[in-house]
Amino acid sequence: MSKIFASPELALKDVLSDGMTIMSGGFGLVGNPESLIPEIKKAGIKDLTVISNNCGAEGFGLWMLLEARQIRKMIASYIGDNKLFEALYLSGEIEVELNPQGTLAERIRAGGAGIPAFYTRTGVGTIVAEGKHTEIFDGVEYVRERWLKADLAIIKGWKADPAGNVVFRKTARNFNPNMGAAATVTVVEVEEIVDAGDLDPDCIHLPGIFVDRIVKSTLNEKRIERLTISE
Amino acid sequence: MSKIFASPELALKDVLSDGMTIMSGGFGLVGNPESLIPEIKKAGIKDLTVISNNCGAEGFGLWMLLEARQIRKMIASYIGDNKLFEALYLSGEIEVELNPQGTLAERIRAGGAGIPAFYTRTGVGTIVAEGKHTEIFDGVEYVRERWLKADLAIIKGWKADPAGNVVFRKTARNFNPNMGAAATVTVVEVEEIVDAGDLDPDCIHLPGIFVDRIVKSTLNEKRIERLTISE
Amino acid sequence: MAWSREEIAARAAKELKKGFYVNLGIGIPTLVANYLNEDSAITLQSENGMLGMGPFPRREEVDPDIVNAGKQTVTELPTSSYFSSADSFAMIRGGHIDASILGAMEVAANGDIANWTVPGKMAKGIGGAMDLVAGVKKVIVVMEHTTKAGKSKILKRCTLPLTGAAVVELVITDLGVFECDKKNRQFNLIELAPGVSLEEVHEKTEAPLHTEGFVQ
Amino acid sequence: MAWSREEIAARAAKELKKGFYVNLGIGIPTLVANYLNEDSAITLQSENGMLGMGPFPRREEVDPDIVNAGKQTVTELPTSSYFSSADSFAMIRGGHIDASILGAMEVAANGDIANWTVPGKMAKGIGGAMDLVAGVKKVIVVMEHTTKAGKSKILKRCTLPLTGAAVVELVITDLGVFECDKKNRQFNLIELAPGVSLEEVHEKTEAPLHTEGFVQ
């Protein structure tokens, strides 16, 4: 009955299959499931739909799955600064659906919250709204967006207890808790597994009900994309 | 520029008017803005629309505003165990709009999140869905619900810092943070005002951007409605 | 002897699988908590914003900021978590709760349930019941089989305003356990309480009741 | 002398009122932070999930888990808070941010803005720009008045795919400050950079530009 798994490989055992939809947490490389992504590469599953704000950076994160040609479709907000992605896109090897970042986040939140569709101002009058239902509420036009769900979410937390309660650290929180609630199976890697009672019940970012499997991160490189220093 | 006010009376100064819509936090008497409600009674404003899960209990909470005949319409989820409410309703002195509790919570969350409408399964096939737009997504029928906003939210927190960051305590959190984000003006009473830096940035339930005024609670009775003890 | 309220609750507890996340309503459902042991690893959710609800407090443990959805004082566990009402119902509406055990005034063979209001009487409110029946994976009703006046509460069609349409899976009453067979618009008898005869249950059940091949 | 990038940022900072909550885009907008002092009590929001953003870190302060929306390392303040992406954009979409300062490729007299993609080139992404222009109370654009090729970026109508329709209030360029007058489909000149003539700004502005009665 324990949710704690001994290794990233074991934590992903029996939940990977060709053609599945995977949500992967993180904003750029911050809050990336660094230890889980390489196991998906190793498993060699193909034809994936991946939902993530970005698609990794040269050599890191989801870039690995691009390199191994495992991703068929990417639902993301920003895929710049990624030459491999560009090449695959231009050669027709990968499909991309770009979302405004906030719409992406809310679609994922809606997937976890049982809300199949919602209205937003974001994208009204732009190509994002093309082909979508729009409607006027109180004199203002809104566009309707659908929820996003996944077969699997791989996310990165800071600490987890044995019940699967997870706490995230600073801006590494980002999409992680929302994705954790929107997938059929959620696998969380954390920097530290703590004992029951070590987390403050008033400060749980992702309650254990959303978490199926927990594993201690084997990689915590936390590569910085844009080191910026004040003089 | 300080958000901290010296008394509940001053914290509500210049933000009260007849006919306004007020959200009031709490689930039953847990997490009620105990110190602010009596000031609304004292101010004598009338014709209010009040949005709150309940409407107080005999002698406590929003019951005071019922007794003073200040509420014209109540948007709530549960108004039982309140004889005064029943009497006012039956005599036509108060209007009531009952919502499923989760729909009420999500409508308030939507009000704060800029989402004018969303779809939910809750209430499909019941009188809650009557007269509302319904639609089938992926073969399942949903009902559309609209956002709720307010002119003023009065909420009860545990601790606040001078920037208005608020932390709630245990099940006293309930509707409070959602309401705090859905009103034009949000006034928070807290048990303790702490210094900048005393709260954990990873554990802020309501960021300061949503909070206009903070005041230390003068009443913290926390009356228990159903004391239940194990032998 | 038909089942007592306690026995109904004990029987309902057997429906909860190891590791389930469960929401219990007010009344008989609350009693179900008494029949869950640690081994069952059942986690209780309370829709006012708590996951991992402990038992009622001893007098010295009472904390007015820890209540369940019935506003009763409860306790927290080492792995409890608290969240806002919006997050709590996102959890419920999003289908993350495995089972909800609720009381009812009427249940129909098509899975309809009525448990919130009676025409002519003032409604006390809706509370979280409509969200629970619409969002939770498995809805189990526990109730007396008949009203105090002896009228069947297991009906062909509900007569009271609905809480949810086509949502109930299982009904446990003082007389036995009944499965909602929505396709065939009937209840299937799963189990009889000891000492209850097929005749008695047929007599007290207004809904079509399938008992063919049932062996006590 | 027209304004430098730093001077554009300094001028933009003057638009921010005491106590404002502000989101700054990448490029010139990021420089605006250098012109905010403590007295101004401006709080910076970063859409990746942070409110109360501090300056870039000293080398020994660098924390890889604290970045801004441009993925640059930043620092936290005593009153900072972190939240999820969904909560961050709820804050933005819900109209709680007082002002957003963004760069643009084109701005039109009707308030349209284009700043995310050029046809024929592969789009790098949308990021948070569409959410910001749609949700923030006041959208201020800072940019060079013309392209490197000398083409006006202040237009009667945008030619590039839009980021938002009818959302911009104010444009600050190297040549001056311009208000979007959506009703009259024109820009109103508010201020000229020192040494810039009315003739020059008219010449470099494709959009209808109202300067009547303007006194330098």
Side-chain angles (χ1 to χ4, degrees), chain B residues 77 79 101 169 171 222 226, chain C residues 63 65 70 73 124 126-127:
Chain B
S77 145
I79 39 78
Q101 193 177 152
R169 188 169 180 278
T171 62
K222 297 191 182 183
R226 300 224 171 92
Chain C
D63 183 330
D65 286 339
T73 43
K124 286 189 164 191
I126 300 172

Side-chain angles (χ1 to χ4, degrees), chain A residues 3 161 163-165 196-197 199-202 204 206-210, chain B residues 170-171, chain C residues 19-24 33 36 41-56 66-69 73-83 88 91 97:
Chain A
K3 293 183 176 183
D161 72 13
N165 292 307
L199 299 179
D200 178 355
D202 276 329
I204 303 296
L206 183 66
I209 193 171
F210 299 112
Chain B
K170 306 193 185 286
T171 62
Chain C
F20 261 26
Y21 292 89
V22 178
N23 185 296
L24 301 177
L36 306 174
I42 301 291
T43 305
L44 298 179
Q45 201 255 16
S46 190
E47 66 264 31
N48 54 316
M50 182 177 193
L51 184 68
M53 198 166 50
F56 297 127
I66 313 181
V67 301
N68 65 16
T73 43
V74 292
T75 52
E76 74 181 21
L77 301 171
T79 54
S80 294
S81 58
Y82 299 101
F83 29 82
S88 182
M91 194 179 277
I97 311 275

Side-chain angles (χ1 to χ4, degrees), chain A residues 76-80 89 96-100 123 125-130, chain D residues 103-106 113-119 121-131 133 160-164:
Chain A
S77 148
Y78 189 84
I79 40 79
Y89 179 73
V96 62
E97 181 192 313
L98 282 179
N99 282 235
T126 78
I127 62 166
V128 162
E130 275 174 25
Chain D
M105 300 176 188
E106 296 179 350
I113 175 174
N115 73 353
W116 74 283
T117 189
V118 174
K121 275 197 177 179
M122 187 182 152
K124 286 189 164 191
I126 299 171
M130 280 194 186
D131 306 284
V133 299
L160 298 173
L162 295 187
T163 305

Side-chain angles (χ1 to χ4, degrees), chain A residues 77 79 102 169 171 222 226, chain D residues 63 65 70 73 124 126-127 131:
Chain A
S77 148
I79 40 79
R169 188 169 179 276
T171 61
K222 298 191 181 183
R226 299 223 171 91
Chain D
D63 183 331
D65 286 337
T73 44
K124 286 189 164 191
I126 299 171
D131 306 284

Side-chain angles (χ1 to χ4, degrees), chain C:
Chain C
M1 279 312 299
W3 281 326
S4 66
R5 286 163 57 91
E6 288 288 347
E7 285 164 335
I8 293 174
R11 180 59 188 79
K14 286 193 197 168
E15 294 296 322
L16 305 178
K17 297 205 181 101
K18 199 166 177 178
F20 261 26
Y21 292 89
V22 178
N23 185 296
L24 301 177
I26 295 166
I28 301 177
T30 302
L31 302 175
V32 173
N34 299 335
Y35 300 93
L36 306 174
N37 56 38
E38 271 205 23
D39 276 0
S40 67
I42 301 291
T43 305
L44 298 179
Q45 201 255 16
S46 190
E47 66 264 31
N48 54 316
M50 182 177 193
L51 184 68
M53 198 166 50
F56 297 127
R58 290 191 303 272
R59 193 163 291 276
E60 66 276 16
E61 284 177 326
V62 169
D63 183 330
D65 286 339
I66 313 181
V67 301
N68 65 16
K71 290 165 199 160
Q72 296 171 307
T73 43
V74 292
T75 52
E76 74 181 21
L77 301 171
T79 54
S80 294
S81 58
Y82 299 101
F83 29 82
S84 70
S85 297
D87 285 346
S88 182
F89 284 95
M91 194 179 277
I92 291 167
R93 198 188 304 107
H96 305 281
I97 311 275
D98 296 297
S100 179
I101 303 181
L102 295 161
M105 300 176 190
E106 295 179 350
V107 184
N110 58 1
D112 288 1
I113 175 174
N115 73 353
W116 74 281
T117 189
V118 174
K121 275 199 177 175
M122 187 180 151
K124 286 189 164 191
I126 300 172
M130 280 195 185
D131 306 284
L132 284 161
V133 299
V136 163
K137 283 182 200 153
K138 181 170 184 170
V139 174
I140 301 169
V141 168
V142 291
M143 62 179 193
E144 306 291 331
H145 204 91
T146 58
T147 65
K148 280 173 194 159
K151 233 183 117 244
S152 175
K153 294 167 73 177
I154 298 201
L155 305 173
K156 198 170 172 192
R157 285 214 146 266
C158 288
T159 64
L160 298 172
L162 295 188
T163 305
V167 293
V168 176
E169 276 200 34
L170 200 74
V171 182
I172 303 173
T173 74
D174 46 327
L175 301 189
V177 181
F178 309 86
E179 178 189 56
C180 261
D181 181 350
K182 287 162 201 156
K183 214 169 80 184
N184 298 309
R185 302 264 170 152
Q186 65 186 13
F187 284 93
N188 297 328
L189 177 63
I190 302 292
E191 189 177 331
L192 273 186
V196 175
S197 68
L198 273 178
E199 289 67 34
E200 180 181 358
V201 75
H202 270 295
E203 187 194 318
K204 291 185 172 169
T205 304
E206 192 249 26
L209 179 65
H210 181 81
T211 60
E212 219 167 294
F214 178 84
V215 182
Q216 203 148 3

Side-chain angles (χ1 to χ4, degrees), chain A residues 17-204:
Chain A
S17 58
D18 289 348
M20 78 189 306
T21 296
I22 301 178
M23 288 182 180
S24 180
F27 175 85
L29 296 179
V30 178
N32 255 247
E34 290 187 70
S35 316
L36 292 168
I37 292 171
E39 297 302 328
I40 292 179
K41 181 173 177 175
K42 272 189 221 159
I45 51 168
K46 291 202 151 34
D47 211 23
L48 304 176
T49 296
V50 174
I51 301 169
S52 188
N53 191 59
N54 314 82
C55 198
E58 178 110 27
F60 294 91
L62 293 172
W63 187 93
M64 295 182 194
L65 307 189
L66 282 179
E67 201 208 9
R69 307 292 190 272
Q70 292 173 275
I71 305 177
R72 183 183 63 74
K73 181 178 178 181
M74 190 74 213
I75 300 176
S77 148
Y78 189 84
I79 40 79
D81 316 327
N82 191 324
K83 281 184 187 153
L84 176 57
F85 194 99
E86 198 166 337
L88 292 174
Y89 179 73
L90 294 174
S91 68
E93 286 175 83
I94 194 167
E95 192 184 331
V96 62
E97 181 192 313
L98 282 179
N99 282 235
Q101 193 178 153
T103 296
L104 181 65
E106 187 66 17
R107 292 178 70 194
I108 295 166
R109 192 256 174 200
I115 292 171
F118 62 90
Y119 291 84
T120 172
R121 274 289 292 156
T122 302
V124 170
T126 78
I127 62 166
V128 162
E130 275 174 25
K132 291 177 186 157
H133 178 78
T134 62
E135 190 158 334
I136 291 174
F137 294 98
D138 309 329
V140 178
E141 189 180 0
Y142 295 84
V143 58
R144 189 163 85 185
E145 297 281 357
R146 293 297 310 278
W147 63 11
L148 283 173
K149 296 192 180 207
D151 302 305
L152 170 69
I154 50 171
I155 64 174
K156 165 70 181 276
W158 182 25
K159 297 176 183 176
D161 72 13
N165 292 307
V166 182
V167 174
F168 300 89
R169 188 169 179 276
K170 305 195 187 284
T171 61
R173 193 181 322 179
N174 56 65
F175 285 86
N176 282 299
N178 305 124
M179 288 179 170
T184 307
V185 175
T186 291
V187 180
V188 186
E189 60 165 283
V190 290
E191 296 177 43
E192 196 183 341
I193 296 174
V194 301
D195 290 334
D198 281 357
L199 299 179
D200 178 355
D202 276 329
C203 185
I204 303 296

